[in-house]
Amino acid sequence: MGSNLARQRGRGRAAGRDPAYAKALRWKRAEKASVARTEQVKEKAALRCTWRSRIMAGKVKWVTDIEKSVLINNFEKRGWVQVTENEDWNFYWMSVQTIRNVFSVETGYRLSDDQIVNHFPNHYELTRKDLMVKNIKRYRKELEKEGSPLAEKDENGKYLYLDFVPVTYMLPADYNLFVEEFRKSPSSTWIMKPCGKAQGKGIFLINKLSQIKKWSRDSKTSSFVSQSTKEAYVISLYINNPLLIGGRKFDLRLYVLVSTYRPLRCYMYKLGFCRFCTVKYTPSTSELDNMFVHLTNVAIQKHGEDYNHIHGGKWTVNNLRLYLESTRGKEVTSKLFDEIHWIIVQSLKAVAPVMNNDKHCFECYGYDIIIDDKLKPWLIEVNASPSLTSSTANDRILKYNLINDTLNIAVPNGEIPDCKWNKSPPKEVLGNYEILYDEELAQGDGADRELRSRPGQSLGPKGGRSRDSGRTVLTTWK
Ligand SMILES: Nc1ncnc2c1ncn2[C@@H]1O[C@H](COP(=O)(O)OP(=O)(O)O)[C@@H](O)[C@H]1O
Ligand SMILES: [Mg+2]
């Protein structure tokens, strides 16, 4: 101890005499202090880390790139922990842009067994307007080849049962086919829709060929035969006889959850709604440009003068059912709803073989359905990211509950997911969802076999149609 002191004193004297030595000594001391500080910081960080991991232990770690309160409130209610996408996560509610990156070949990202996401990798097979129609056309042809009774046609060559999407052509690819069809009924109205857009953007109605030619000239495509998917449109026959209520056109927004495509298992959310136009309907050509008459999207209608902010131009599906039961009768109403369920299942069956049935995925689709004045439902489009924006107080409750029920099915018990689970939750957790179709169950009781192999006869109680004195009767699914 004493000799230490003497050494230090000696050093002190030497430093006082030699400025270079003094500088080196100061530097050494500073370095020692900095090492100590770094150690302290490291220790604190390690402590924080253990503390955080203790809190997070066993909890679902979530990420979202969709900042919607109906999502975040649901995650927080479950006590799940928010992390960033660069950390380990278990549940990622992502936009369709992000899913593209997650599953892109370039990123080579591999999801682990405890990770799930809210889209199937190639959901666009159903949710892109052109691909949905393409897949349904292929499905119909396949059923026809198999000799399925579902593919039966009438004397004009029209499918008796599978005619549930408006006649549609891809533009520019199918332009010539479209012209041929247009000339068959030159007084009909058509609707042009960009394949990659939503919320009514870029949509317009036409009733003359010259309007398409003008569009083709005006659009940035230098040549009409450009195959660029960016400018790809579909042109669909416009359903110009929609069922009107209070003189207004409306469509249905129904939510359908798919937990697996093979086997197909899907659920229908009971609390869908109708979206009304703010301006009374007229098929008159003078109003062809008035989107408040023709497009039911809330994104369009909310800009209308008569938009009602209290009910947001919406009716519950239950209200619609009651209204139809009292104005048209119970039997036709129930047939209509059965038929709506039936076309949704057919649309899913149409894409099931081409879907990448990734076990990490589930999807809650937003279906757009129009009912015409003969009470025939038409499938208009399917959305991969149905709006989670709430236009009214009721809307907020509905969407919060929709996400709640979706999570209860997709993430059993709100626990860290294991994507190897068999994806058949008990009935008690379904909430407002009901089973729409379960391929395993259907095959188990022979309904599917019956559905595909008994031409011209009653197709059984599960999902088939029977013909009753020439009238089509759709039997129930469940
Ligand atoms: N073939 C059609 N017949 C009648 N109305 C249609 C048709 N296609 C679309 N619409 C109307 O236009 C709206 C928007 O069309 P949609 O295909 O859903 O595109 P978006 O992705 O922009 O919502 C629909 O909600 C419906 O009101
Ligand atoms: Mg839509």
Side-chain angles (χ1 to χ4, degrees), residues 177-364:
L177 286 174
F178 161 70
V179 172
E180 212 176 290
E181 187 68 28
F182 182 92
R183 294 211 164 112
K184 280 189 209 156
S185 44
S187 60
S188 46
T189 300
W190 295 76
I191 183 166
M192 286 278 285
K193 305 192 276 190
C195 295
K197 293 207 176 105
Q199 302 189 317
K201 285 184 200 128
I203 297 184
F204 57 95
L205 275 60
I206 64 133
N207 63 349
K208 291 190 195 78
L209 271 185
S210 58
Q211 289 164 303
I212 298 224
K213 286 186 183 137
K214 181 174 181 313
W215 164 79
S216 137
R217 272 197 310 274
D218 294 352
S219 65
K220 287 189 192 78
T221 36
S222 51
S223 118
F224 197 55
V225 283
S226 154
Q227 292 297 318
S228 160
T229 47
K230 242 188 179 172
E231 295 90 6
Y233 268 66
V234 291
I235 187 158
S236 301
L237 190 63
Y238 187 67
I239 308 298
N240 67 352
N241 60 331
L243 175 68
L244 305 179
I245 295 182
R248 287 173 174 81
K249 173 178 172 176
F250 67 96
D251 75 351
L252 298 184
R253 163 50 57 89
L254 301 173
Y255 299 100
V256 175
L257 173 66
V258 176
S259 55
T260 129
Y261 271 99
R262 291 190 300 277
L264 178 60
R265 192 169 297 131
C266 52
Y267 304 85
M268 163 69 88
Y269 202 61
K270 286 183 254 176
L271 311 179
F273 52 86
C274 312
R275 307 178 295 188
F276 281 85
C277 285
T278 49
V279 174
K280 285 201 170 172
Y281 184 76
T282 165
S284 155
T285 51
S286 63
E287 292 292 334
L288 231 48
D289 293 336
N290 187 346
M291 294 304 133
F292 296 126
V293 172
H294 297 286
L295 304 195
T296 51
N297 305 72
V298 175
I300 301 275
Q301 296 297 332
K302 71 179 178 195
H303 300 296
E305 262 175 42
D306 292 330
Y307 180 72
N308 181 315
H309 291 268
I310 313 274
H311 56 62
K314 287 178 178 169
W315 254 25
T316 63
V317 164
N318 274 341
N319 256 349
L320 175 70
R321 192 187 267 273
L322 290 175
Y323 171 85
L324 290 176
E325 282 177 353
S326 64
T327 52
R328 307 279 186 124
K330 280 198 170 172
E331 201 184 320
V332 286
T333 305
S334 130
K335 176 176 170 276
L336 166 68
F337 279 93
D338 273 351
E339 216 164 315
I340 290 173
H341 293 177
W342 188 83
I343 65 177
I344 291 175
V345 174
Q346 294 307 311
S347 70
L348 293 171
K349 284 188 164 194
V351 295
V354 296
M355 269 299 168
N356 177 349
N357 189 38
D358 194 294
K359 59 184 182 209
H360 304 92
C361 309
F362 70 93
E363 194 138 8
C364 175

Side-chain angles (χ1 to χ4, degrees), residues 8-156:
Q8 271 175 15
R9 277 199 197 118
R11 250 188 238 146
R13 275 197 297 276
R17 280 196 301 274
D18 181 350
Y21 180 71
K23 198 174 168 192
L25 205 62
R26 274 201 306 278
W27 182 81
K28 210 166 192 172
R29 277 192 206 125
E31 193 186 41
K32 245 188 181 169
S34 138
V35 169
R37 263 200 310 275
T38 317
E39 285 306 314
Q40 263 179 358
V41 170
K42 271 190 192 160
E43 245 169 59
K44 273 191 185 162
L47 257 174
R48 257 203 312 273
C49 225
T50 353
W51 173 78
R52 193 160 184 247
S53 57
R54 241 181 243 151
I55 289 194
M56 300 211 301
K59 290 190 178 157
V60 174
K61 289 167 228 112
W62 62 271
V63 198
T64 185
D65 59 356
I66 302 176
E67 289 292 313
K68 291 286 170 199
S69 57
V70 290
L71 286 174
I72 295 166
N73 292 347
N74 260 299
F75 301 149
E76 288 178 348
K77 175 189 116 170
R78 286 167 166 75
W80 292 1
V81 191
Q82 183 172 18
V83 293
T84 65
E85 62 176 353
N86 300 320
E87 294 174 89
D88 278 344
W89 51 263
N90 306 115
F91 187 90
Y92 197 156
W93 191 288
M94 55 178 68
S95 60
V96 286
Q97 288 80 16
T98 305
I99 193 79
R100 204 180 310 148
N101 297 335
V102 167
F103 286 106
S104 82
V105 185
E106 290 93 65
T107 55
Y109 202 99
R110 287 231 161 261
L111 296 183
S112 50
D113 281 353
D114 63 357
Q115 291 187 303
I116 49 173
V117 295
N118 62 317
H119 296 290
F120 283 91
N122 57 342
H123 63 85
Y124 44 81
E125 293 285 351
L126 179 65
T127 58
R128 254 188 73 127
K129 296 173 174 66
D130 50 347
L131 295 180
M132 177 189 85
V133 172
K134 195 179 120 205
N135 280 310
I136 290 175
K137 284 183 183 173
R138 178 193 35 76
Y139 175 66
R140 295 195 295 214
K141 289 236 167 73
E142 278 167 10
L143 288 179
E144 209 174 330
K145 253 198 215 152
E146 278 175 26
S148 164
L150 293 184
E152 208 180 314
K153 290 179 167 172
D154 68 10
E155 53 283 359
N156 302 318

